[in-house]
């Protein structure tokens, strides 16, 4: 049995930031990462665009990770690589499996979950047709191209317009492949506007909204696919089906938080985000267990991941060293209203200080107003020229103003 004040599971941008923040509070910290190096998904994101908010300059993914690795090296955090967390006990005990040390039981005063997320696969979306070579998730194609040095196809179609898919449209084009088009089920993109412009429009790559792939053909290698528009119920209109010859299909159809370790733990999960429901300190419904980064809810900017992880890491250290922070006993639920898909944190404790509430809309809205209400009073109201599901929004509220549950909604 090994004992630490704080155990951080996951060595990506969230895990490193949380570990550094916990160490700064004087806690003994163990950081566990299942890969052979730190950095997580950032290691394969060789494009620029990271760090504009956190560092005030534009970095590539590996450069962003390297900044945190160097900070981490100056702390007392113990790092265990190649280790997998297998189970999480309600008493704070975690079972780890390491090729060097075997099965290791770790007892921590607080645990921070920072495992990131995984991609939704062809099987998860019930993709019809044959199962030929040439179908990849966008993230796997990114790894094969940027780290392994392989070109996954020459004529490529991308299903889904999440940020990874958009970035890979540009990457494949730069590598000499021809991206036929991007096909998106929804009437709007799931990615950042800047990626639509820089990765598609700047390279003349078309995107078909309200369309989906109906079936894939080819054996053993992909030869093409059929796609069609969808109706108001998002069902394909097969009478308008078209064929595209291609040898590769990349899937950018959503990300799922890696919360398998929470099965049977009693931690309450959100049906919308698939992450844990948390308070303003990012503590879950299980005392002493905190969650941050993409395992909590999928972010569009790694800068926000780092800031959120620092909140979780600092709070975890305070919990382990001093117990739960004092409150006035009040709990205020934060719920999404009209036009808002989800809001986080889901619970705010009474007291003093400012709290940032993050939320995503359920559609693209122009010339709307973001409103936060509590007990019939308006706490926040501000116009937005445009809001979209692909870009996370945030507002700041004061705890002193809360005397009931909070609703975040849009006036459209």
């Amino acid at each position: 049995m090994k004992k630490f004040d704080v155990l951080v599971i996951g060595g990506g941008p969230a895990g490193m930031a949380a570990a550094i923040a916990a160490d700064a509070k004087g806690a003994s910290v163990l950081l566990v990462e299942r890969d052979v190096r730190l950095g997580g998904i950032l290691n394969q994101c060789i494009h620029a665009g990271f760090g504009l908010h956190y560092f005030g300059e534009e970095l590539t993914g590996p450069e962003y990770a390297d900044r945190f690795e160097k900070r981490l090296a100056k702390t007392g955090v113990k790092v265990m690589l190649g280790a997998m967390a297998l189970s999480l006990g309600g008493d704070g005990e975690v079972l780890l499996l390491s090729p060097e040390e075997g099965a290791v039981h770790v007892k921590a005063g607080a645990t921070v979950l920072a495992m990131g997320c995984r991609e939704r696969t062809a099987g998860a979306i019930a993709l019809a047709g044959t199962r030929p070579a040439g179908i990849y998730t966008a993230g796997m194609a990114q790894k094969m191209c940027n780290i392994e040095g392989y070109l996954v196809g020459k004529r490529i179609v991308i299903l889904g317009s999440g940020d990874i898919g958009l970035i890979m449209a540009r990457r494949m084009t730069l590598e000499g492949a021809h991206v036929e088009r991007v096909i998106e089920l929804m009437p709007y993109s799931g990615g950042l506007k800047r990626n639509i412009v820089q990765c598609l429009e700047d390279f003349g790559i078309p995107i078909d909204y309200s369309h989906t792939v109906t079936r894939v053909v080819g054996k053993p290698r992909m030869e093409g696919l059929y796609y069609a528009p969808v109706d108001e119920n998002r069902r394909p209109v097969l009478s308008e089906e078209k064929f595209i010859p291609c040898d590769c299909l990349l899937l950018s159809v959503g990300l799922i938080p890696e919360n398998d370790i929470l099965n049977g733990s009693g931690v309450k999960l959100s049906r919308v985000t698939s992450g844990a429901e948390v308070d303003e300190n990012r503590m879950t419904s299980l005392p002493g267990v905190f969650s941050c980064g993409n395992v909590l809810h999928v972010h569009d900017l790694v800068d926000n991941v780092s800031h959120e992880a620092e909140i979780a890491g600092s709070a975890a250290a305070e919990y382990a060293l001093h117990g739960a922070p004092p409150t006035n006993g009040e709990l205020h639920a934060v719920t999404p209203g009209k036009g808002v898909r989800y809001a986080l944190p889901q619970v705010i404790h009474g007291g003093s200080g400012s709290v940032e509430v993050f939320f995503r809309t359920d559609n693209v809205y122009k010339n709307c107003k973001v409103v936060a209400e509590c007990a019939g009073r308006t706490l926040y109201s501000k116009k937005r020229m445009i809001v979209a599901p692909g870009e996370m929004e945030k507002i700041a509220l004061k705890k002193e103003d809360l005397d009931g549950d909070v609703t975040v909604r849009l006036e459209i």
Side-chain angles (χ1 to χ4, degrees):
M1 176 73 72
K2 295 186 177 183
K3 294 185 178 181
F4 292 87
D5 294 324
V6 176
L7 168 65
V8 180
I9 304 175
M16 289 192 289
I20 293 169
D23 177 82
K25 292 287 185 177
S28 59
V29 184
L30 172 64
L31 174 62
V32 177
E33 167 56 43
R34 66 184 177 186
D35 204 348
V36 295
R37 63 167 298 179
L38 297 171
I41 196 69
L42 290 175
N43 293 324
Q44 66 188 53
C45 298
I46 64 174
H47 55 280
F50 302 91
L52 289 169
H53 298 277
Y54 194 93
F55 290 109
E57 58 182 303
E58 191 174 45
L59 305 171
T60 65
E63 287 174 329
Y64 190 97
D66 182 65
R67 295 279 181 98
F68 275 92
E69 285 189 67
K70 288 177 178 176
R71 288 185 178 186
L72 192 65
K74 297 177 181 178
T75 69
V77 175
K78 180 181 179 181
V79 177
M80 184 183 292
L81 298 175
M84 175 76 77
L86 300 181
S87 64
L88 173 66
D91 58 353
E93 184 176 322
V94 176
L95 175 61
L96 305 177
L97 188 61
S98 164
E100 295 180 354
E101 302 186 40
V104 180
H105 292 270
V106 175
K107 179 76 171 179
T111 301
V112 180
L113 307 177
M115 296 88 70
C117 55
R118 62 179 181 267
E119 295 178 281
R120 190 170 279 113
T121 63
I125 63 171
L127 185 66
T130 56
R131 282 292 181 269
I135 301 176
Y136 302 88
T137 61
M140 176 54 69
Q142 185 183 56
K143 181 178 181 180
M144 292 181 70
C145 178
N146 294 345
I147 295 181
E148 304 296 337
Y150 294 106
L151 185 63
V152 295
K154 296 180 179 179
R155 297 187 67 179
I156 297 171
V157 173
I158 299 175
L159 176 60
S161 60
D163 287 312
I164 302 176
L166 299 175
I167 288 164
M168 286 309 294
R170 177 178 62 186
R171 186 77 181 112
M172 292 292 94
T173 302
L174 293 173
E175 286 296 322
H178 177 69
V179 178
E180 298 286 343
R181 63 187 56 249
V182 176
I183 298 171
E184 170 57 55
L185 176 67
M186 304 300 289
Y188 51 80
S189 171
L192 293 168
K193 177 63 177 177
R194 74 183 190 197
N195 285 333
I196 291 288
V197 174
Q198 295 173 2
C199 300
L200 297 188
E201 295 177 5
D202 288 356
F203 289 87
I205 300 171
I207 181 169
D208 290 328
Y209 294 109
S210 299
H211 282 68
T212 191
V213 172
T214 52
R215 52 195 168 107
V216 174
V217 297
K219 194 174 181 180
R221 179 77 193 189
M222 184 176 177
E223 298 173 3
L225 59 81
Y226 288 88
Y227 75 109
V230 297
D231 60 21
E232 62 275 8
N233 297 314
R234 298 178 195 159
R235 295 174 181 170
V237 182
L238 297 180
S239 61
E240 300 181 35
E241 197 176 49
K242 296 179 181 178
F243 179 75
I244 302 178
C246 58
D247 64 357
C248 182
L249 173 64
L250 301 187
L251 303 175
S252 180
V253 290
L255 300 169
I256 304 170
E258 286 270 21
N259 273 315
D260 297 324
I261 196 173
L262 295 180
N263 292 338
S265 67
V267 171
K268 188 176 181 181
L269 299 179
S270 166
R271 287 182 293 178
V272 178
T273 65
S274 297
E277 293 191 359
V278 296
D279 64 14
E280 71 274 20
N281 296 314
R282 302 309 187 265
M283 187 161 72
T284 69
S285 58
L286 186 62
V289 176
F290 298 76
S291 183
C292 61
N294 283 350
V295 78
L296 178 59
H297 60 137
V298 178
H299 293 65
D300 42 23
L301 298 176
V302 70
D303 309 69
N304 289 337
V305 168
S306 299
H307 286 301
E308 181 174 80
E310 289 172 344
I311 294 172
S314 295
E318 290 287 349
Y319 183 93
L321 297 173
H322 310 295
T327 66
N328 60 9
E330 295 179 354
L331 281 175
H332 309 292
V334 180
T335 57
K338 182 179 181 181
V340 177
R341 185 165 172 261
Y342 77 86
L344 187 143
Q346 288 85 0
V347 176
I348 298 175
H349 291 275
S352 60
S354 180
V355 176
E356 286 187 327
V357 176
F358 293 83
F359 67 94
R360 286 188 188 270
T361 62
D362 60 13
N363 209 328
V364 177
Y365 298 102
K366 296 181 179 180
N367 299 318
C368 62
K369 185 181 291 185
V370 176
V371 178
E373 296 173 325
C374 177
R377 295 181 297 108
T378 299
L379 304 180
Y380 180 96
S381 179
K382 191 172 182 179
K383 289 183 178 180
R384 295 282 205 280
M385 290 184 63
I386 185 170
V387 292
E391 306 205 22
M392 191 180 297
E393 301 284 339
K394 68 178 179 179
I395 60 176
L397 301 178
K398 293 182 178 179
K399 287 188 176 184
E400 296 90 337
D401 295 336
L402 305 183
D403 56 1
D405 293 342
V406 178
T407 300
V408 181
R409 63 176 179 85
L410 301 181
E411 283 187 3
I412 303 166

